[in-house]
Amino acid sequence: KIRCLFRSSWLCGCPSAPSTAEGDSMASAPVGSAGSPLRVTRENFYQSTQNCRVRRVQKRYEAIAEEAKHNNRPIAVEMQRRGFADFKAFNKSCPQFDLWCYPMEFAELGSGAVLYFHFLTLLAILFALIFLLQLPLLVTYSGENWLMGWQWSTWTNAYSTSDPCECIGRNDGILGLPDFPEDNAYGTSCRAWDAEWQTGLPPCTIAPCAHPGKWACRQWCFASKECPTKPHADVPSLTNVHFHGLVRAYSTCASETDEALVAGSCTGELSEDVMFSEAGAEFGRRSSIGSHWMTPGNFGPHLAEADWIPTIYIICVLLVGFIVIVGHQRMILTDIKVDANTISPNDFALMIRGLPRTATDENTLMEWFSRNALADTSADIVKVVIAWDVEEFRANIMQLKLLRERLQTLAPDDPEVKEVKKQMMDISQALNSASPSQASRLQGSGLAVVIFRRQEDMRECLHRFNTFWARRFYCDAVDASWLWAGNRFWKCGSLPMFPVGGQPACKIQVERAANPGDINWMELGVAPSVKYKMLAKTNGLMFILIAATFFIVYGLNRLTDVIEVEGDKSADGDYGFQALALLPAIFVVLMNMGLQTVARRLGKKEFHETKTEEEFSQAWKISIGMIMNTAGVLLFLHSTPREWYELGGLIDKTGVMLLTNVLVPPFIPLLDIKYRMNFWKRRKLTDKVLDHMNEVIYRCAPQPKTPPEAQELKQVTGQIEWFKRNAFEPSEMDAPRRFADALKTTFCCLFFAPVMPMVSLLGFVGIVVQYAVGKYALLRVYKRPDKPANCSMALFSVNLIKAFGPAALTVAAFVFLTPSWKDKGLMWSTLTTTAVISLAIFFFPMSLVGRCFRRMYVDDSTGDMDYYKAQYMWPKDMKYHKDHFLYAKLPDSVNPEYLKPGTSAAVALSDVKAGYSAAAASAADAAATGCIRRGPALRGGRVVEAGGAAAEGAGTSASAGGPAPALYGVRTSVGGTPSGRDDQPHTGTAPSVVAAPIPSPIVADVLPPGTIGATETVVIWEFQVRDDHWKQFAADCHAHIESKYQEHQTRGGAKRINVHTSGMQLSIDFGRMTQMKTDTHKVSAIRRRTS
C-alpha cells in the first residue's frame, strides 16, 4: 500500500471553500486509516471550484492567531493542534455568509465590499425619494393628452421666450379661402378676415362654407406653425388651426370687441360654435406615443402653465446633492468602523514625489526627512523605500505577461504552446543577460516611500505639506488662535526643499502611500510623457470603439425606423415597433459587455502607480462607454421635441432601452461568463486523462525512482494545475464593472427622469436588483477576492455623482420641460437656479468635511502606535521593503524583515545593484508563470501564504521580539484536539515536525489526502473511568466514532450519535465531549488524542 499525500495546501487565488459531502468525503477519512489511496476524480476538480467561495474566515482565524500567540507557537501548528491540516482545511470548516446578512458582516472582504452595497443603498434611497417627489407630476400628466401637437414642433421656438402665436405680419401667398375674393393683406393682422369681404355682405354668402360657424365672425391673424392648436374645450371657435403651413391664430386676437362682433354678426347658421375646418385646414395624424407614458409632452408644445412643476426639479437637484453628501460621510464612517482596531502599513507611510533622480542614498533621505518632515521637532524615520527606475526591462515584463495570458488560453496539447513557451524563454534569457549592465545604470525615479515610526508624525507631515499655502505657494502655515486646532490659517516661511549639490532645489509633494500590495512598483518610475502618451493611445482607441458601437446602434435604430415606415401602422399594430426596438436594446447590452472587456484590457496596458488607479481607469472607460451607448445614441437619433414624442421615438425607444439595460445586466454576473466559456477546457478532462493521472501518481509518487518517472510526475502535476487554474477556477467579481453598471443606471435614469418620470421607479428597481443579485453572486458564485477592497472606488463613484448628477438633472429638466411650457422665462430662471445649486454641490468641499468626520470619530488611542510593534501584525509581503521586487530578493542580513530601533535599516545602492539580477530573474519568472505570491488577504493587513499554512505576519524568528513565526512547508506527526487545547497540561514543548515536499498548491487541492508523502497518525478515543484515569473505547468503534466526529467538525454533521459496542449502546455528544450509557444513564467524559 502506498501512503502518500500531497499536502492539502492553499489553492492559489481561491481563499475559501464550502464543504460538501461529495468533495469532502476523502478529507473526512481518518488520518492514517488503512487501505489504498482514493482516486483523483472529476468531482475533486468540481469541488475545487466550490473551494473558492466566500466564507466567514477572519473572526475564527484571528481567534486561532490569538491562541497561537498565547501558546507561543506558530499559527500553522495551532491549526494542526485543532485538527486542521492547514489553512484550507480550516477554511472549509468556516460557515458561509447568510444571504440576508447585513453588508457590515462581510467586512473581512475589505471596506470596499461593504461600501459597494452601501453605495447601492444610497442610490436606491435617492431614486425612491425622487419618484415620490414626481408622483404629483404623474397625476397631472395623466390628465393631459395633446401629444398630436408635437408633429408641428421644431427647435425654432422651443426655447425662445417669444410668443409662438403672435402675428407674423405675412401670409406666405395665402390670399383667402377658396372661391372667396383675394386680399393681399389677408391674415397679416388681427381682423375678422372671413366676415368683411365687402360692405354689407355677411360671412359665407359669396361662397358657401363647408362648416359655417362663429369662426367666420372672429378676428384672427397668421402665426408660425409652432403656435399650439390644441382644441379649445369651452369655446371651439377660438381654436387655433393649421392652414397651408401657417396657423390661423384666433386665441391671439380674442378680445371683448371680438366677442361683441361675434354676438352681433354670427346669427342663423353662423351661430354654431365650431372650429374652423374649411379646405386647407390641417389637423395632423395620429403618430404620437400614448399618454400612458405620463410625460410633460402630454401638455403639448407651449401650453403647460403649472409653475410648481419646475420647482419640483429644483427640489430634486437639492435632494441629489444632499443625499450624495450625507451618503459620502456615512461611507467615511463605515470605512472607519470596518478598519477599527486594525492597523495597516500605510498608517505609517507617505509617498514622496519630486525628489531628484540622483536621490539614491537611503541614509541621506532618512536624515533629511527626520530633520524636515515636522516643523518644530525631528521625526523618527524607520525606513525609506526608493522607487527605482526600471524602464529598461519593463517592456519585456509586459510582453511576458501577454504571452502568459495567451498560454493560459491554450490547451496543454496545443501545437502553439511550444512556440509561446520558446518566446517566453527567449525574453527571460534576454532579461537575465542584460541585468548586470542595467544594474550599473540604476537610478531613482523621483519617488520614495517614507515610513515613520509613529502615526501621529506621519499625519502631521501629511497635513503640513497639504495645506492651501503649501499646495499653492509651497509655504508653511501656522494656526490662527481664534480657529480650531490644526487650521493652518496663517502663511509663514517656505517649506524645506530637498537639496541637490548641497543647495535646496526640489519642491516635494507628499501624499498618503498606498498599502504595499496595492503598489505597482515597476510602474512608479514611468516618465509622465510616456504615461500620458499611453493614456492618450488607450483612451483614443476606447473612443474609436465607443464611436463604432455608437454608429452601429445608430444604424440598427434607423433600420427599425425604416421597417416601421414600410410596415402597417394600423391601430392594432401601433406598438409592433417595440419588438423591433428590442434588437438595438439587446445589442447595446452585448456591446456594453464587449466594451467592459476592452476597457479592462486597455486599463492593464496603461501605466498606473497602484492597482486601485487601474480599477479607476477601467471603471471610467466602462461608464462612459455604457452611458454613451445606452443614452447618447438615442438623443443623437431623436434630437428634436417632435421626435421625442412620436411613435417609435425617444420615449418609446428609451423605455425599451432602459428596461433592457437596467434590469438585464445585473443578472449577468450570475452566469460567471468566463467560467462558462471554459466548458470546452473542462470537457478535455476525460476518464482516460483521469486514469492516466492516477496511474502516474500511484506509480511515481512520492519520490520518483528514475528520471523518466520524475518527468512523468512533473507533467501530470502540471496538467492538474492547468485544469485547476484554467478550466475549473471561477472568476473574481469585477469591481470596476459593477460600479460602472450602477453609475450607468444612475446617470441614465437621472437624465431621463424629467421627460419620463417613471424611469426613477425603474432606477430604484434596477438598483435593488443589482444589490440582491450582486450580493448573491459575491457570496455564492465568485471566488473570494485576492485582496480586501478599499473604499476608494466607492468614494470615487459618489464623488462622480456629486460632480455630474445635479448637473445632468439640471440640463435634462431644462431641455425636456421647456418646449412644453408657455412661460419660457420661468424655465430659464429655473435653469439659473438649478445651475447655481449644481455648481455649489460641485465645489462642496467633501474632503474637508470628510476630514472633520474622521477627526470626530477616529479613535486617537492608536495615535501613538509604534511601527516597531505594529510590524509584527503583517506578513513579509505586506511590508514596503519586502514588497518591492528589487528589495525582496536581498538577504535578511542586508534587508531584514523586522526592523529594530537604533539600528539603521538603510540599504546601500551597491547592495541593490548586487541583487538586481536575482530580482530581475524573479520578476521575469513571476510574469512568465503568473504565480500568485500571496494567499488570500484578510482585513487589517493579514495575508495567508500561498503555500498553504496560515500566516500571521510573524517572521522567521521569534527572537525578533514579536510573536512566534508562522512555519510553512512542515508536517506535524502529532494531531490536535478539536478544542484547540491539549487534553494534558501543556508542557511548552513544540510538536515535532518533519520537512515534507510540497507540490504546487493547485495540484495539492485536487489530490485526496492519503496520496503522497503521508506519515501515519493514529487517532484514539477514550472515556474517563476515574478522575485521573482514562480507558480506550473498544477497537470495533474507533473508526466509526472518528468518522462521525469528522463529519460533525467539517460538514455540520450530527452532534450526538449512537454507538453499539461490546454489547452496550452508548450515546456520544461531541458538543459536550461526553458519553452516556442508555440503560443506566451514567454520563462520563470522553476525549480524542493522537499517537
Side-chain angles (χ1 to χ4, degrees):
K1 293 181 295 185
I2 302 176
R3 299 194 184 279
C4 39
L5 169 66
F6 266 159
R7 182 171 177 79
S8 192
S9 320
W10 183 259
L11 175 60
C12 211
C14 295
S16 60
S19 174
T20 64
E22 293 81 9
D24 283 347
S25 58
M26 292 174 290
S28 61
V31 178
S33 58
S36 300
L38 297 175
R39 294 174 57 82
V40 177
T41 66
R42 190 174 287 102
E43 285 70 25
N44 297 135
F45 287 91
Y46 279 110
Q47 179 59 30
S48 71
T49 303
Q50 297 300 319
N51 289 348
C52 298
R53 311 301 189 204
V54 176
R55 285 179 171 268
R56 295 178 182 268
V57 173
Q58 181 133 9
K59 186 175 181 180
R60 296 181 63 184
Y61 172 76
E62 289 182 344
I64 291 178
E66 187 64 28
E67 188 73 13
K69 183 178 179 181
H70 173 75
N71 293 330
N72 194 30
R73 58 194 179 205
I75 292 179
V77 175
E78 184 66 37
M79 282 190 175
Q80 290 167 347
R81 298 186 72 86
R82 286 179 175 240
F84 304 113
D86 55 18
F87 184 84
K88 177 179 173 294
F90 158 75
N91 182 74
K92 281 185 174 182
S93 71
C94 295
Q96 288 184 312
F97 286 95
D98 186 79
L99 290 175
W100 296 99
C101 69
Y102 189 64
M104 196 69 179
E105 293 185 32
F106 42 85
E108 65 185 68
L109 303 181
S111 61
V114 178
L115 293 183
Y116 167 68
F117 292 100
H118 282 195
F119 175 62
L120 295 182
T121 303
L122 170 74
L123 297 182
I125 293 173
L126 175 62
F127 281 120
L129 293 177
I130 290 178
F131 177 71
L132 291 176
L133 283 173
Q134 289 181 310
L135 278 177
L137 279 66
L138 293 172
V139 174
T140 303
Y141 293 160
S142 64
E144 302 290 337
N145 188 10
W146 182 237
L147 289 157
M148 284 183 60
W150 293 104
Q151 61 188 297
W152 294 287
S153 178
T154 65
W155 278 102
T156 307
N157 292 315
Y159 302 95
S160 174
T161 56
S162 60
D163 185 1
C165 289
E166 65 183 358
C167 299
I168 59 177
R170 56 183 175 81
N171 55 28
D172 292 353
I174 306 171
L175 304 181
L177 294 174
D179 300 326
F180 276 64
E182 295 182 351
D183 189 339
N184 291 330
Y186 186 73
T188 56
S189 61
C190 285
R191 183 177 171 185
W193 294 99
D194 303 313
E196 299 178 353
W197 303 113
Q198 51 192 18
T199 304
L201 293 179
C204 298
T205 56
I206 298 177
C209 298
H211 301 90
K214 288 185 177 180
W215 59 266
C217 305
R218 289 195 178 278
Q219 300 184 47
W220 60 273
C221 68
F222 280 125
S224 70
K225 65 177 182 179
E226 290 282 338
C227 180
T229 57
K230 181 180 180 181
H232 200 292
D234 299 326
V235 186
S237 59
L238 284 176
T239 301
N240 302 328
V241 180
H242 284 87
F243 185 69
H244 293 299
L246 298 176
V247 171
R248 294 167 60 103
Y250 289 92
S251 60
T252 303
C253 302
S255 63
E256 294 182 2
T257 304
D258 183 48
E259 289 299 326
L261 176 63
V262 170
S265 304
C266 290
T267 58
E269 64 177 359
L270 301 178
S271 61
E272 187 176 359
D273 197 356
V274 297
M275 72 173 67
F276 173 81
S277 57
E278 301 302 302
E282 301 171 8
F283 297 99
R285 60 185 179 88
R286 177 69 179 181
S287 61
S288 59
I289 61 172
S291 59
H292 61 273
W293 281 109
M294 291 179 285
T295 73
N298 287 15
F299 286 116
H302 313 292
L303 289 174
E305 296 180 331
D307 296 347
W308 57 272
I309 291 180
T311 305
I312 292 292
Y313 287 101
I314 295 176
I315 298 173
C316 285
V317 171
L318 285 168
L319 179 66
V320 172
F322 176 78
I323 292 291
V324 168
I325 291 171
V326 172
H328 183 273
Q329 309 316 318
R330 181 174 181 266
M331 286 184 174
I332 289 176
L333 295 181
T334 301
D335 182 50
I336 294 171
K337 290 178 182 178
V338 170
D339 290 336
N341 302 318
T342 62
I343 303 295
S344 298
N346 72 335
D347 289 330
F348 299 88
L350 294 176
M351 177 68 76
I352 310 299
R353 302 176 186 276
L355 296 170
R357 299 175 73 86
T358 55
T360 57
D361 188 337
E362 289 189 12
N363 269 320
T364 301
L365 289 167
M366 291 174 65
E367 291 173 4
W368 189 87
F369 279 102
S370 178
R371 294 193 309 269
N372 297 284
L374 306 180
D376 301 322
T377 185
S378 62
D380 196 346
I381 305 299
V382 173
K383 176 73 176 173
V384 170
V385 180
I386 298 172
W388 301 96
D389 184 5
V390 291
E391 179 181 0
E392 295 190 44
F393 76 96
R394 186 183 300 115
N396 286 327
I397 294 295
M398 291 184 66
Q399 184 64 25
L400 277 176
K401 291 181 179 179
L402 293 175
L403 289 172
R404 184 198 74 216
E405 292 176 359
R406 175 60 181 158
L407 188 63
Q408 289 177 346
T409 63
L410 301 175
D413 55 352
D414 194 303
E416 191 179 346
V417 169
K418 186 176 181 180
E419 178 61 28
V420 173
K421 286 184 176 181
K422 183 179 182 302
Q423 294 179 34
M424 296 173 71
M425 185 175 296
D426 291 342
I427 295 174
S428 296
Q429 290 176 351
L431 280 170
N432 291 333
S433 62
S435 293
S437 62
Q438 292 172 359
S440 65
R441 300 189 298 272
L442 190 63
Q443 60 178 350
S445 62
L447 290 84
V449 173
V450 176
I451 304 172
F452 290 75
R453 180 173 182 174
R454 300 192 178 278
Q455 289 177 293
E456 58 183 357
D457 288 348
M458 182 276 292
R459 290 194 290 264
E460 175 63 23
C461 179
L462 181 65
H463 191 193
R464 182 188 184 194
F465 282 84
N466 282 279
T467 64
F468 170 81
W469 300 112
R471 291 195 302 268
R472 295 291 185 271
F473 305 101
Y474 202 72
C475 290
D476 217 336
V478 294
D479 285 358
S481 59
W482 43 276
L483 290 175
W484 62 89
N487 59 83
R488 306 290 176 117
F489 185 82
W490 299 115
K491 175 185 175 183
C492 55
S494 296
L495 287 168
M497 293 190 288
F498 192 85
V500 176
Q503 298 297 322
C506 297
K507 297 179 180 179
I508 63 171
Q509 300 173 26
V510 177
E511 62 188 54
R512 183 86 173 267
N515 273 314
D518 194 33
I519 298 177
N520 292 325
W521 294 103
M522 203 172 294
E523 298 181 8
L524 283 181
V526 178
S529 58
V530 176
K531 185 183 298 185
Y532 295 143
K533 183 178 179 181
M534 179 58 71
L535 194 64
K537 181 179 178 181
T538 55
N539 287 338
L541 181 57
M542 191 68 187
F543 175 79
I544 293 173
L545 291 173
I546 292 174
T549 57
F550 182 93
F551 285 108
I552 291 173
V553 176
Y554 175 84
L556 285 173
N557 278 279
R558 281 302 182 200
L559 177 62
T560 60
D561 292 342
V562 171
I563 295 174
E564 288 175 35
V565 172
E566 295 178 351
D568 180 19
K569 289 191 174 182
S570 62
D572 295 333
D574 280 348
Y575 293 92
F577 73 89
Q578 291 185 357
L580 290 173
L582 282 174
L583 178 62
I586 294 174
F587 182 79
V588 166
V589 173
L590 298 176
M591 292 304 298
N592 284 342
M593 292 173 60
L595 285 174
Q596 291 165 4
T597 302
V598 173
R600 192 178 304 111
R601 291 183 179 274
L602 291 178
K604 291 181 179 180
K605 289 181 179 294
E606 297 169 353
F607 299 108
H608 300 287
E609 295 183 354
T610 64
K611 295 177 178 65
T612 301
E613 285 185 12
E614 183 178 315
E615 291 181 346
F616 284 165
S617 176
Q618 295 174 17
W620 178 259
K621 291 180 177 66
I622 294 171
S623 300
I624 294 296
M626 290 197 300
I627 292 172
M628 289 299 296
N629 277 344
T630 305
V633 67
L634 295 177
L635 289 172
F636 184 77
L637 272 167
H638 309 285
S639 57
T640 65
R642 174 183 177 180
E643 294 170 325
W644 300 345
Y645 302 112
E646 66 183 2
L647 191 63
L650 179 68
I651 300 300
D652 275 327
K653 289 183 178 177
T654 298
V656 176
M657 185 72 75
L658 290 183
L659 193 66
T660 306
N661 282 272
V662 169
L663 297 183
V664 172
F667 288 97
I668 293 177
L670 291 178
L671 301 177
D672 191 0
I673 294 176
K674 181 180 178 181
Y675 177 81
R676 304 291 176 187
M677 291 176 65
N678 287 333
F679 79 96
W680 65 273
K681 297 179 183 178
R682 293 190 288 274
R683 292 181 62 183
K684 293 180 179 291
L685 187 65
T686 61
D687 292 338
K688 183 177 180 180
V689 172
L690 287 169
D691 290 341
H692 174 69
M693 290 178 181
N694 283 294
E695 191 275 329
V696 172
I697 292 171
Y698 280 52
R699 175 167 50 84
C700 303
Q703 297 296 334
K705 301 178 180 61
T706 63
E709 286 189 353
Q711 183 64 25
E712 277 189 278
L713 187 60
K714 181 179 179 181
Q715 290 176 351
V716 166
T717 55
Q719 191 177 23
I720 293 175
E721 182 172 353
W722 184 88
F723 276 112
K724 289 287 297 176
R725 187 185 298 275
N726 297 293
F728 287 89
E729 182 178 278
S731 307
E732 184 177 330
M733 200 163 185
D734 190 346
R737 173 179 174 174
R738 59 186 182 175
F739 276 103
D741 278 334
L743 289 173
K744 173 203 65 181
T745 298
T746 300
F747 281 107
C748 288
C749 291
L750 277 179
F751 188 78
F752 286 111
V755 72
M756 297 176 63
M758 288 298 294
V759 302
S760 55
L761 177 61
L762 179 62
F764 170 79
V765 173
I767 293 297
V768 170
V769 169
Q770 184 172 345
Y771 183 103
V773 174
K775 190 175 182 181
Y776 179 86
L778 176 66
L779 301 181
R780 296 292 187 270
V781 177
Y782 289 93
K783 70 177 184 179
R784 187 187 184 103
D786 289 333
K787 64 183 181 70
N790 58 37
C791 64
S792 300
M793 186 68 74
L795 296 181
F796 166 79
S797 300
V798 172
N799 281 318
L800 200 64
I801 295 175
K802 178 187 84 78
F804 300 109
L809 192 56
T810 294
V811 173
F814 177 77
V815 169
F816 291 123
L817 294 184
T818 302
S820 298
W821 251 251
K822 183 176 182 180
D823 185 359
K824 308 298 184 186
L826 172 65
M827 298 310 302
W828 280 101
S829 63
T830 302
L831 173 65
T832 303
T833 303
T834 52
V836 170
I837 295 172
S838 298
L839 285 173
I841 296 172
F842 181 88
F843 289 107
F844 186 83
M846 297 276 271
S847 58
L848 176 61
V849 177
R851 285 196 295 269
C852 293
F853 268 72
R854 287 184 182 273
R855 289 176 182 173
M856 291 170 58
Y857 292 96
V858 171
D859 185 4
D860 291 334
S861 62
T862 62
D864 291 331
M865 175 63 72
D866 192 321
Y867 179 88
Y868 292 115
K869 296 179 181 179
Q871 63 181 331
Y872 295 105
M873 301 171 61
W874 312 310
K876 180 185 294 185
D877 287 342
M878 284 299 286
K879 297 181 174 70
Y880 292 98
H881 61 293
K882 288 295 185 180
D883 182 58
H884 193 302
F885 72 100
L886 286 182
Y887 288 83
K889 290 300 178 180
L890 295 176
D892 284 345
S893 59
V894 175
N895 185 40
E897 177 183 355
Y898 291 99
L899 308 179
K900 299 178 181 179
T903 302
S904 176
V907 176
L909 175 60
S910 58
D911 291 327
V912 177
K913 290 181 177 181
Y916 188 90
S917 295
S922 177
D925 180 64
T929 61
C931 178
I932 301 175
R933 294 184 177 273
R934 295 183 180 88
L938 304 178
R939 183 165 51 100
R942 298 183 186 271
V943 174
V944 178
E945 293 291 339
E952 167 60 15
T956 58
S957 171
S959 63
L967 303 180
Y968 313 118
V970 297
R971 179 166 292 110
T972 177
S973 60
V974 180
T977 64
S979 65
R981 296 182 179 274
D982 296 336
D983 289 321
Q984 302 298 333
H986 183 58
T987 61
T989 305
S992 59
V993 295
V994 294
I998 302 178
S1000 164
I1002 298 289
V1003 181
D1005 190 66
V1006 170
L1007 300 185
T1011 308
I1012 293 184
T1015 57
E1016 184 170 4
T1017 302
V1018 179
V1019 177
I1020 299 174
W1021 283 91
E1022 299 176 329
F1023 61 94
Q1024 191 174 26
V1025 293
R1026 290 191 300 271
D1027 291 342
D1028 57 349
H1029 184 69
W1030 295 80
K1031 185 176 180 179
Q1032 293 185 15
F1033 280 86
D1036 62 347
C1037 63
H1038 273 276
H1040 177 68
I1041 295 175
E1042 175 67 13
S1043 175
K1044 293 299 182 181
Y1045 174 76
Q1046 292 292 341
E1047 288 183 7
H1048 168 66
Q1049 287 292 100
T1050 61
R1051 299 198 299 276
K1055 181 176 69 173
R1056 186 175 297 172
I1057 64 170
N1058 293 323
V1059 175
H1060 295 274
T1061 178
S1062 302
M1064 297 180 295
Q1065 182 170 343
L1066 306 175
S1067 176
I1068 294 180
D1069 191 323
F1070 292 127
R1072 298 180 180 179
M1073 293 299 285
T1074 60
Q1075 70 160 7
M1076 182 184 71
K1077 295 179 66 175
T1078 56
D1079 54 350
T1080 64
H1081 297 285
K1082 180 180 179 181
V1083 178
S1084 58
I1086 63 173
R1087 73 179 183 181
R1088 174 184 182 271
R1089 68 181 181 87
T1090 58
S1091 66

